[in-house]
Amino acid sequence: MSKPFSIAIHGGAGTILREQMSKDLNEEIRRDLEKSARAGHEILAHGGDAMDAVVAAVKVLEDSEHFNAGRGSVLTHKEMVEMDASVMHGEDAKVGAVAGVRHIRNPVELARDVMEHSPHVLLIGDGAEEFAFGLQHTYTEQDYFVTDRRYDQLQSMKEKGLFALSESKYPDDSKHGTVGAVAFDQQGNLAAATSTGGITNKQYGRVGDSAIIGAGTYAQNGNLAVSATGMGEYFIRKTVASDIAARMRYLKENVQQACEAVIHGELKAMGGEGGVIAINGDGEIHFSMNTSGMYRASIGLDGRLMVKIYADE
Ligand code: ASP
């Protein structure tokens, strides 16, 4: 008899509207979300570690051009892809993160390498890439990451002089977002991972919450694993991920109460749109968003797959 395990993943939150979603895109996105959840679940089913599961799940979404991470990342004002990622293991508060990387195919793997093979927790830009090339990572051209949709999306934001979430309320037919995963393994470990291209038309050098432990990513065994998506500046200012964990730890709120209090509370009031996926210390999953949708999937303690896009699903 195996012990309980569960996984949840997300592909970004934002203004995701049914009327703007084509049938084909809807199917392709749901297929990728399922593939991601199953990739992580398979590892957990074989007794693997929660960290291996979240990295495998996020990698699937980084490799899909439908999401704002890895291939298909949004573009900076200078028309470059600059990606952020972070991971956290809940057993011993081990963390790794990278920011502003441009030539790394799977930033989530590099974040884990920072955790496992460096004495540091966050590496940025050229330094992160130099570290990567000293390991197994190969140089990947920008062309690999850049898609026509993201280029068009940037031009539209530039014309308006705005920057925006990939799932923004501004006219844009590419509804794709930041990705993340949280998992609970058979040993009782929790882990979280998040990866992103950031926000469209961002300034060169801008770093969002996905690279910041305690803002976009957090995991603590016996308590919570959480991965966020949304306007990163707000998630950093409100330290969203660690705030949810603290509410559970100190106020003894359950995972649902803590997530809803943060996402629909001060974060929303100050204009921070977005959402989180979370798993508590018993493997129970909760999704929370203050947007019209969040691409998400889970395979719960009962082994059942759930794939959803809209908030009201
Ligand atoms: N949180 C990401 C950032 O601000 C964006 C997103 O979730 O789509 O970089």
Side-chain angles (χ1 to χ4, degrees), residues 10-13 68 74 84 164-167 176-179 194-199 202 206-211 216 228-233 235-236 273-275:
H10 72 79
N68 172 23
V74 299
D84 305 335
L165 280 178
S166 56
E167 276 51 62
H176 317 134
T178 286
V179 309
T194 312
S195 180
T196 189
I199 53 175
K202 67 183 181 180
R206 178 263 188 191
V207 176
D209 62 314
S210 308
T229 168
M231 200 51 99
E233 281 71 9
F235 281 67
I236 293 172
E273 58 178 76

Side-chain angles (χ1 to χ4, degrees), residues 68-126:
N68 172 23
R71 181 165 163 72
S73 285
V74 299
L75 299 179
T76 66
H77 187 74
K78 289 196 173 182
E79 307 192 348
M80 297 281 283
V81 161
E82 286 186 8
M83 299 165 287
D84 305 335
S86 63
V87 298
M88 182 162 187
H89 198 291
E91 186 182 21
D92 43 13
K94 269 169 73 178
V95 302
V98 293
V101 294
R102 297 175 175 178
H103 305 103
I104 304 299
R105 201 180 181 99
N106 291 110
V108 72
E109 288 192 322
L110 183 56
R112 182 169 64 181
D113 283 337
V114 170
M115 178 182 86
E116 286 176 352
H117 303 298
S118 93
H120 307 300
V121 297
L122 170 60
L123 295 179
I124 63 164
D126 292 346

Side-chain angles (χ1 to χ4, degrees), residues 220-254:
Q220 186 174 48
N221 276 11
N223 189 33
L224 173 78
V226 58
S227 169
T229 168
M231 200 51 99
E233 281 71 9
Y234 295 93
F235 281 67
I236 293 172
R237 288 165 67 193
K238 295 307 296 178
T239 53
V240 163
S242 62
D243 198 24
I244 294 170
R247 295 184 76 95
M248 292 175 64
R249 193 167 175 197
Y250 303 121
L251 295 180
K252 305 295 175 205
E253 290 183 349
N254 66 34

